[in-house]
Amino acid sequence: MTRVASSSSMKELVLKFIPEAIGLEIEKECHSIYPLQNVYVHKCKVVKFPRVDNQKLMESHGSLEDTGSKIKSDFKEPEIQAEV
């Protein structure tokens, strides 16, 4: 797992976790020692956070311009009643 995690980016690693490709690799590698079945990655812990590249972040999320428009709301808060 360490070899795979260190050689790929965070996005690629998550894409490998989802179809359980790493679990299948663990089964194959450990088969000569002990036959394992149903190997799944349940949790993963980030030991060292990757450096943030602002340029790549802006490319993946686009610009920060607000492209939406405000919605006109016709809702009016009801008045408080004196008695129930």
Side-chain angles (χ1 to χ4, degrees):
M1 284 182 61
T2 306
R3 177 180 46 86
V4 173
S6 62
S7 65
S8 61
S9 68
M10 183 70 82
K11 189 175 186 178
E12 294 169 352
L13 187 61
V14 170
L15 292 176
K16 289 181 183 179
F17 280 150
I18 292 172
E20 298 153 2
I22 295 177
L24 294 174
E25 288 182 31
I26 293 172
E27 280 184 34
K28 290 177 187 175
E29 295 291 326
C30 295
H31 187 69
S32 63
I33 300 169
Y34 189 81
L36 296 174
Q37 294 178 353
N38 302 330
V39 177
Y40 301 105
V41 176
H42 182 63
K43 281 186 175 181
C44 66
K45 182 178 181 180
V46 177
V47 177
K48 183 178 177 185
F49 287 99
R51 292 185 177 185
V52 178
D53 186 9
N54 289 336
Q55 185 176 3
K56 278 189 175 180
L57 185 66
M58 291 304 294
E59 287 175 3
S60 63
H61 290 289
S63 64
L64 295 176
E65 296 176 11
D66 187 19
T67 57
S69 61
K70 291 187 176 184
I71 299 174
K72 184 177 179 182
S73 177
D74 295 332
F75 177 75
K76 185 177 178 184
E77 188 73 31
E79 296 182 20
I80 300 174
Q81 297 177 351
E83 295 180 14
V84 180

